[in-house]
Amino acid sequence: MTGTPGELVLAEHRGPVLVLTFNRPAKLNAWTDELEDRYFTLLDAAEDDPDVRAVVVTGAGRGFCAGADLQRLQALGEVSEADRARRRPRDVPLTLRKPLIGAVNGVAAGLGMVEALYCDIRFGSPSARFTTAFAQRGLIAEYGISWLLPRLVGDSRATDLLLSSRMVDAEEALRIGLLDHLVPTGSVVDAAVAYAADLATRCSPASMATIKSQLQADADGTYADSVTRAEGLMLQVFRGADFVERVTSHLDKRPPSFPSLPVRSSDVPV
């Protein structure tokens, strides 16, 4: 580990957007348990912070995240099953109710690629690159990537990327769906923050949280099940304060002023 835990992931508030930066640039932000704990702690804090309406995650220096630190991987073979037990599940980012936007500024490899895929939307710079890396490291498709990747790029492309571990550049990543936006000039972080700020100021936090939960719930269901769930939710939102505020603000010709999400421990449904 290099640096104190607070230095491993930097946090910066830009209005309603929280920018989190993996901060091990000399190691291309290779993942460690300490970095993970810091990242997940910051996401947990952002979850119930009313001043945070969206989160952008990026990497310091030339990389997004080069995957698990190889020294850590070497040590894993020498520890017991109990020692490997996790305090929190790896997919904590998927549980965030607020938009999580990736600003991929360089290589995202192995676990680093998985962390990028956990984001709702991915922006990339021209230097963004992706590799699953697992097969070349003698590993398996870890942390749910075998479920996530086919849903983004299709079954055969996912098989290609997982078996070959080949490097995908930014243009191909955009073409096949690993990236949603390619930022050819300027700061990829600034572009991602601008997008996140637009969501934060124009969209209902409750609506976005519900839509995220719908996307997860409907991923393996039927169309009919999706429609049925949506109809039940529509009855709730038509009676909700956010819908009233949107109609009122439109008639008043002013921007909407949506309330923050209730804290996760609240009994208020979202």
Side-chain angles (χ1 to χ4, degrees), residues 31 68-79 84 137 139:
W31 198 266
D69 190 292
L70 291 179
Q71 290 181 334
R72 173 180 173 272
L73 285 179
Q74 184 179 37
L76 278 178
E78 304 168 1
V79 299
R84 287 199 292 266
R137 294 176 179 175
L139 300 171

Side-chain angles (χ1 to χ4, degrees), residues 104-144:
V104 184
N105 56 306
V107 68
L111 176 54
M113 180 170 173
V114 176
E115 290 300 328
L117 298 188
Y118 285 159
C119 295
D120 300 309
I121 305 290
R122 283 162 297 283
F123 283 68
S125 71
S127 59
R129 294 177 293 151
F130 295 85
T131 172
T132 60
F134 298 118
Q136 289 184 356
R137 294 176 179 175
L139 300 171
I140 52 87
E142 297 177 345
Y143 312 120

Side-chain angles (χ1 to χ4, degrees), residues 17-92:
V17 180
L18 175 66
V19 180
L20 301 180
T21 303
F22 302 143
N23 189 39
R24 300 185 73 211
K27 297 285 189 178
L28 293 178
N29 305 310
W31 198 266
T32 64
D33 290 341
E34 295 84 1
L35 184 149
E36 177 180 295
D37 285 342
R38 170 68 172 166
Y39 179 44
F40 289 179
T41 296
L42 289 168
L43 288 179
D44 285 342
E47 172 65 47
D48 286 329
D49 186 341
D51 294 327
V52 174
R53 297 209 168 187
V55 178
V56 169
V57 60
T58 191
R62 298 181 297 108
F64 179 77
C65 175
D69 190 292
L70 291 179
Q71 290 181 334
R72 173 180 173 272
L73 285 179
Q74 184 179 37
L76 278 178
E78 304 168 1
V79 299
S80 69
E81 201 64 38
D83 291 332
R84 287 199 292 266
R86 310 189 53 74
R87 289 195 303 113
R88 288 179 280 195
R90 177 75 75 188
D91 58 359
V92 164

